[in-house]
Amino acid sequence: MTSKAANIATLQPARRAGSDKQNEKKRELALHTLSALAEVGFARINLRDIAARSGVSLGTIHYYFDDKTELLSYCVRLYKDDFIGRLADRIDSANTLDDLLEQFSDALVRSVDEDAHTHRLWYDIRAQALFDEAFRPVVNDLEEQLTAIVGRFVEKVEALGGGGIFSPADPLSVYLMLDGWFRYCLQQRVAGDKRALTEWKRRLASLMRPH
């Protein structure tokens, strides 16, 4: 693993070395620049562009982040941590099987509808990880977390009597199935297909019924 990859592997939002105030400022900066990154994508933007689009100085960005790779990794982790937290809240608040399936499905559909550009940034960095090892630690860690939250969902589905819904019911298989459809419907949504959300809802309803 290169030194850059090792550095990114240890990235945790608001938890790197330094004062709490510095970490909070770094987090605020990342949130401020996230929309610029999400709008254009990794390959078509540099730190100077990000600074111009987000209204912060290039020097400020360089103070907190070594390069675009580190900034992108931090931003994606920040957003995905929030996304995973929202899924966890939906899972934990459901008391019946029908409510659980509805809450989880609604969270996924809303996310494609409201956060499409941010999610496509995740798929951008995931594709980059096939070529640049600096991205692999953060991608691997986030996919482990995504698989884990899907596993938590599957466990609760089974606990509430929905044992026949997913076959096989191992978390990785369910995650890969949901992720495949999520990416496809996201792609259609970004391309302007007005039927994308309807199709996503339909697919989720089909996936989440007993086989």
Side-chain angles (χ1 to χ4, degrees):
M1 184 183 292
T2 66
S3 59
K4 181 189 286 188
N7 286 339
I8 293 177
T10 61
L11 268 176
Q12 293 291 339
R15 291 184 183 180
R16 286 190 78 186
S19 69
D20 290 341
K21 186 175 181 179
Q22 286 178 318
N23 286 326
E24 184 57 30
K25 181 64 177 178
K26 181 174 182 175
R27 185 178 184 278
E28 289 175 5
L29 177 62
L31 289 172
H32 200 55
T33 61
L34 184 58
S35 60
L37 278 164
E39 181 182 353
V40 180
F42 174 80
R44 296 172 55 200
I45 198 167
N46 57 42
L47 287 181
R48 191 175 299 278
D49 295 329
I50 294 169
R53 285 172 175 270
S54 58
V56 299
S57 71
L58 182 60
T60 299
I61 293 176
H62 274 300
Y63 179 80
Y64 290 100
F65 300 98
D66 291 339
D67 54 26
K68 185 175 70 170
T69 299
E70 184 178 343
L71 173 60
L72 178 59
S73 298
Y74 188 95
C75 285
V76 167
R77 184 187 291 278
L78 199 64
Y79 175 73
K80 278 296 186 180
D81 281 349
D82 180 68
F83 171 65
I84 291 167
R86 281 183 274 137
L87 290 179
D89 289 342
R90 294 293 190 102
I91 294 168
D92 293 343
S93 64
N95 296 314
T96 67
L97 179 60
D98 286 345
D99 187 35
L100 174 62
L101 297 178
E102 182 179 349
Q103 289 282 346
F104 195 78
S105 296
D106 181 68
L108 295 179
V109 172
R110 283 178 178 271
S111 193
V112 168
D113 184 30
E114 298 172 0
D115 303 313
H117 291 303
T118 312
H119 279 297
R120 75 176 182 177
L121 188 62
W122 156 247
Y123 288 104
D124 190 0
I125 189 176
R126 203 169 76 174
Q128 292 293 330
L130 293 171
F131 303 96
D132 187 344
E133 69 172 295
F135 286 116
R136 289 171 194 165
V138 68
V139 167
N140 289 340
D141 181 53
L142 286 174
E143 290 219 285
E144 287 179 3
Q145 292 186 50
L146 289 165
T147 303
I149 197 64
V150 168
R152 187 165 158 184
F153 167 65
V154 171
E155 286 181 3
K156 188 156 186 178
V157 165
E158 294 179 335
L160 292 174
I165 289 178
F166 298 110
S167 180
D170 66 283
L172 181 58
S173 294
V174 178
Y175 164 66
L176 293 174
M177 175 180 61
L178 290 173
D179 177 70
W181 280 112
F182 188 102
R183 189 211 59 78
Y184 176 77
C185 292
L186 173 68
Q187 178 178 304
Q188 302 310 307
R189 171 71 171 80
V190 170
D193 186 347
K194 295 180 180 180
R195 300 169 300 174
L197 292 178
T198 301
E199 176 65 12
W200 186 212
K201 290 177 183 178
R202 188 181 74 80
R203 287 293 174 180
L204 284 169
S206 176
L207 293 170
M208 296 185 187
R209 67 184 181 208
H211 295 282

